[in-house]
Amino acid sequence: MTPTFLVEQAGGMLPAPWWFVQFFKVLGFTLHAVLMHLWYAGLLWAMVLAVWGSANGRHAAGRLMRQMPVLVALGVNWGIVPLLFVQAAYARVFYPATIYMAWFWLGIVVLLIPAYYGVYIYSFGLRRPWPNEVPAGHRADADSEPPGGSGKEFSPEGQTASPSARPAHFPSENGGLLAGVVPAMPVWRLAAGWVSAVLFLLIGFFFVNGFTLMTRQELFRQDHWQAVWGPHTLAGAALGTGLNLADPRLLPRWLMFFSLAWTTLVVWWVVDTAWRASRPSETYRRWVARTAWKLYLAGAIGFGLFGSWYLHTWSAEVRAAMFSWPVGVLTVLTAISPGPVWLGLAWSARQGTPPGRALALLLALGQLAVLALNASSRQVVQNLELRPFFAVLEQPETVQWSPLIVFLVFFVLGAGVLGWMLWQLWQYRHPAIPSA
Amino acid sequence: MHYPWWYVPVATGPMLIALIATVHVLVAHYAVGGGFFLAVETSFAYRTGNQAYLAYLRRHAQFFILLTVVFGAITGVGIWWTIGLASPLATQVLIQTFVFGWAMEWVFFVLEITSAFGFFYFWGRLPPGVHRAFGWIYAWAAWISLVLITGITGFMLHPGRWLEPGHRSFWIAFFNPQLVPQVVARTGGALLLSSLYVYLHAAWTLRHQAGLRELVARRSARPALLGAALLLVGGGWWAALLPESARALIPAAAALNILMTLAVGISALVVVLVYLGPMKNPGWLSVGFAGTLWLLGLAGFSVGEFIREAVRKPYIIYNVVFGHQVFPEQVVRMREQGFLESGLWTRAWMAAHYPQVFVSDMAATPQAGVLPSAIAAQEGIAPAAFSPAFSSSSTPEAAPGGRTSLAGPEGRLSMVGPGGRIDEARLLQLSQADQVQIGRVLFMYHCNDCHAERDGYSPAGRLLQGRPKPRMVELVRHLHEHRFAMPPWSGSEEEAQVLAEYLATITPPRPAGMSPELGAPGR
């Protein structure tokens, strides 16, 4: 018997050509992923290094955390685009899925606020370059480029903070719980960083729940209503207390994303080391070269393992489609895409020299391709999973051509203004030399 | 009815929207007005070489970023999150109508964030001219994003010509009658409110620098008073261009009456205090004075936003989507088909719990021989009264301009499920307990968008206290006649009775001791 699906088929229309929606959804998600990965995996990495890392590790973590407020702001902002086009084209499955888990979905926003403030609290605590944060051979005050910058630039009172101005309540001085372990951060600031790291992981978990629910057939099958919705409803109304824990796709997908985020984080670290305004010490750069390829390999292995697990949770139809010509090419490319980036890192390590700026840029483009391929494959899988009950690509279109063109004009002009601003920031990245 | 309803105990889902939206606008207006404050004042400080003022502005920029880029931006996303959960159908219509409006707004968000971070983090590095340019880029990008979002919120209150046949375009929707008045009012509000934030920040951080504090007080008084003037003009214009139902609602609802008086009174008080204090006597700017002003400003703004949301009743989008997630052009058909039958999710619940009320399509004879138009005439409802946009079409499935109706073919939801359709007559053959249970489902999907059950926000039980059951049935059947701010009953006669069965269980009896006693009402 053909199952009946609780998806409204009539009415509604795409305000843009389907290819436009798919393109911007994939593009937006790719750009969002670049930054999202940095907090998803990066916060945890930075917190671990801050507590247990070597001097070089703490320095690397501090670099990332100084940048984190800006990364989070831009990352959240870039998430608007894919979410907008999800609602434009997938509303009929997106809204029921999020209503099913409404409190958790709303929880994303509620948790994001303390998570983001936690990042700021931690980041502001890094404004002073403590001696034991600075790797060997590195000038204590050299690492002052924004965002975050040095204590000279951004101490709350606008005064230069020297190591001797170190507050007395630092745990390492007072013999607190983390004495000797945590080098240079008040416990409450460190705790804020840890809380943020955990909250961002939780937020990622809720997101994966929402987007796997959206394509879960049982959620929309009338004959499964009682089993799936029943425990989470009151008089037919959703309580918003459901999650997608029974879905076999959930865990591998979440872990696969984390692994992928890990690889992006490593590339960001390499690029930051090569392109930062104040040249880091040779010791530090060599340490980055020695370590990066190993860390990337760990992420790539995780991606392969969890990706294979995730692939096994696909339905037979989806799997068949993903390995048929020509989509199969995309699947294979997606699977092997981290390879070239890893090879670049390994080659650099073998040379004994850290990646230069050109190679770092090449690696960044390679990782961008990894993310773009993943986003494209993800999009194809999403459409295939929905096909039995919601033909996304066959929705009627009433294209709003003139607003679309005006948007593109704004997009180009905006990119121009943005380019001008970034150029200015690059030009004036070094601190001004104080006048006598 | 396309979507499941989210039950939020006590508060109701839409009140969550109001809560988050109000909190957001209190910061979002500062994000706009504060941008102009920083741009104008930084230019002034550079021009006059006032290093002390520049140092203060830098501290203010940090405070500004921490508040607007984090809290303001995330609560803005929060509104989007909540409307999708609590009003999915209306959100879908808005997204499909304004997808490129939001996309344009995103472009300006990117410019806002980049310029704000550049302005703050590169303070002292950028040459003054470039630094000022960053400030102005932020200010104008923020203001344009205000204009873009106002086009959407204005549309919700008054879509204007968009409702007319053949006018369903983005631009007609965007340039709705409420756009300019609301932009004027919001620009004014942004200038006024941001001055109050500046006063609070300056009063606290410059409490030991009287000279600088007085400079801030004096200089921010002018934009505050300009903002008040714009608020007055825009507010009056807004009121003048309200749809008739919205204008009628303000004097008709006691709460709105009081709130309107409060909004006007508080705004006037703020203006007087700004004039007497920062403008004429800048030395008055203490933490207590600034804090009071700021709290008054927040109160006035919150009240104003609440009024703006409330006057849309019974619609989420005026004449396009009702609060209970139904298109106006669906109402007549839903009365024929039945409310439970018309909704995907209500029907799924019925199929799971009461399969015995389903009959095959051939056997079901709901309201046999009664055409929708006959029902409409009987109830005194013309479809055109609810949706002029769809009224002139000769075929019900086609909206004017040859476009498909938002509601889908025949203005009804597609049929789902095995087991045919719900036989309305069978509902009344169920036990009273079963009817109460079904009545509660009807309540959730038809009433809970505005009313809590027994207790909470505008609770139906308390509002109906003492009303006998027969009067409740009458009330449900003639909902929109009882009060124009209520949507029309969108179910069958039988369902009205079933809903009344449930309402009777949550309605307390008439309070004892009221004189004169005219006999115990029948329940």
Side-chain angles (χ1 to χ4, degrees), chain A residues 280-316:
Chain A
S281 69
E282 191 63 22
T283 317
Y284 177 79
R285 293 171 68 230
R286 285 186 185 281
W287 174 74
V288 172
R290 279 200 312 274
T291 317
W293 73 276
K294 295 176 199 163
L295 290 178
Y296 194 92
L297 181 63
I301 289 173
F303 175 68
L305 286 175
F306 298 126
S308 303
W309 180 10
Y310 174 56
L311 190 144
H312 278 282
T313 63
W314 288 351
S315 68

Side-chain angles (χ1 to χ4, degrees), chain B residues 283-444:
Chain B
W284 288 8
L285 195 67
S286 63
V287 173
F289 185 86
T292 306
L293 260 182
W294 181 72
L295 287 174
L296 282 171
L298 296 192
F301 241 79
S302 305
V303 170
E305 285 298 323
F306 186 87
I307 293 169
R308 189 186 61 77
E309 289 282 331
V311 297
R312 282 205 312 265
K313 286 181 180 177
Y315 304 100
I316 303 282
I317 306 171
Y318 179 73
N319 272 341
V320 180
V321 180
F322 278 120
H324 61 307
Q325 305 295 302
V326 165
F327 292 118
E329 69 270 23
Q330 287 181 312
V331 170
V332 171
R333 180 70 67 172
M334 290 174 78
R335 287 183 168 200
E336 182 202 18
Q337 283 183 200
F339 188 82
L340 297 166
E341 173 69 33
S342 302
L344 290 171
W345 300 88
T346 48
R347 193 172 188 282
W349 185 88
M350 287 297 290
H353 291 84
Y354 295 98
Q356 68 270 34
V357 302
F358 284 77
V359 293
S360 72
D361 282 348
M362 295 296 288
T365 53
Q367 306 251 335
V370 182
L371 296 170
S373 55
I375 298 173
Q378 182 189 334
E379 298 298 326
I381 305 168
F386 298 111
S387 181
F390 306 119
S391 63
S392 64
S393 172
S394 56
T395 53
E397 66 270 31
R403 294 186 174 89
T404 308
S405 159
L406 290 170
E410 299 185 13
R412 53 176 275 185
L413 304 173
S414 58
M415 297 300 298
V416 291
R421 51 197 298 154
I422 296 170
D423 186 347
E424 300 296 312
R426 293 192 182 187
L427 295 176
L428 300 182
Q429 293 164 9
L430 296 169
S431 70
Q432 191 182 24
D434 288 334
Q435 289 185 34
V436 167
Q437 202 176 351
I438 296 170
R440 196 175 189 191
V441 175
L442 288 165
F443 178 87
M444 289 293 182

Side-chain angles (χ1 to χ4, degrees), chain A residues 1 4-16 20 66 69-70 73-74 76-81 83-85 87-88 91-93 95-96 98-103 105-109 112-113 116-117 120 123-124 127 144-150 152-154 156-157 207 219-220 222 225-226 229 233-240 395 398 400 402-404 406-407 410-411 414-415 417-418 420-422 424-426 428-432, chain B residues 2-9 16 20 58-59 62 65-75 77-86 88-89 91-92 95-104 106-115 117-127 130 133-134 137 144 148 169-171 344-345 347-349 351-353 403-409 412-418 437 440-442 444-445 453:
Chain A
M1 188 181 70
T4 300
F5 290 101
L6 300 168
V7 179
E8 172 57 37
Q9 301 295 339
M13 56 204 77
L14 288 177
F20 185 93
R66 283 190 185 92
V70 177
L74 288 173
V76 170
N77 179 270
W78 288 2
I80 290 174
V81 178
L83 199 65
L84 179 64
F85 287 110
Q87 294 189 65
R92 295 174 217 188
V93 286
Y95 291 137
T98 51
I99 288 169
Y100 182 74
M101 55 171 291
W103 287 111
W105 190 250
L106 192 61
I108 289 173
V109 174
L112 189 53
I113 294 174
Y116 196 178
Y117 275 121
Y120 264 108
S123 172
F124 280 6
R127 286 179 168 185
S144 58
E145 70 269 33
S150 72
K152 278 183 178 175
E153 289 299 314
F154 300 110
E157 300 306 319
F207 262 110
L219 192 79
F220 300 96
Q222 181 165 295
W225 187 92
Q226 185 60 34
W229 286 86
T233 54
L234 177 71
L239 291 170
Q395 294 179 86
T398 306
Q400 300 174 351
S402 58
L404 188 154
V406 172
F407 160 65
F410 275 129
F411 187 76
V417 176
L418 186 67
W420 178 82
M421 285 195 287
L422 293 177
Q424 296 299 327
L425 298 181
W426 177 253
Y428 296 104
R429 63 194 182 280
H430 297 288
Chain B
H2 297 58
Y3 297 110
W5 179 250
W6 178 32
Y7 172 67
V8 176
L16 283 184
I20 295 175
R58 182 175 184 172
R59 285 153 73 180
Q62 183 182 39
I65 281 186
L66 281 176
L67 193 58
T68 61
V69 174
V70 183
F71 191 78
I74 305 298
T75 50
V77 174
I79 295 179
W80 213 20
W81 238 245
T82 327
I83 60 173
L85 294 171
L89 185 64
T91 308
Q92 185 185 350
I95 295 273
Q96 289 186 342
T97 308
F98 291 106
V99 67
F100 292 111
W102 263 301
M104 289 175 218
W106 168 74
V107 172
F108 289 97
F109 282 158
V110 175
L111 295 182
E112 276 180 59
I113 289 175
T114 311
S115 55
F117 280 134
F119 186 79
F120 170 64
Y121 282 119
F122 282 70
W123 198 299
R125 295 175 192 225
L126 296 174
V130 177
F134 269 68
I137 289 171
I144 293 170
L148 288 167
S169 84
F170 170 91
W171 300 111
L344 290 171
W345 300 88
R347 193 172 188 282
W349 185 88
H353 291 84
R403 294 186 174 89
T404 308
S405 159
L406 290 170
R412 53 176 275 185
L413 304 173
S414 58
M415 297 300 298
V416 291
Q437 202 176 351
R440 196 175 189 191
V441 175
L442 288 165
M444 289 293 182
Y445 279 80
E453 294 180 279

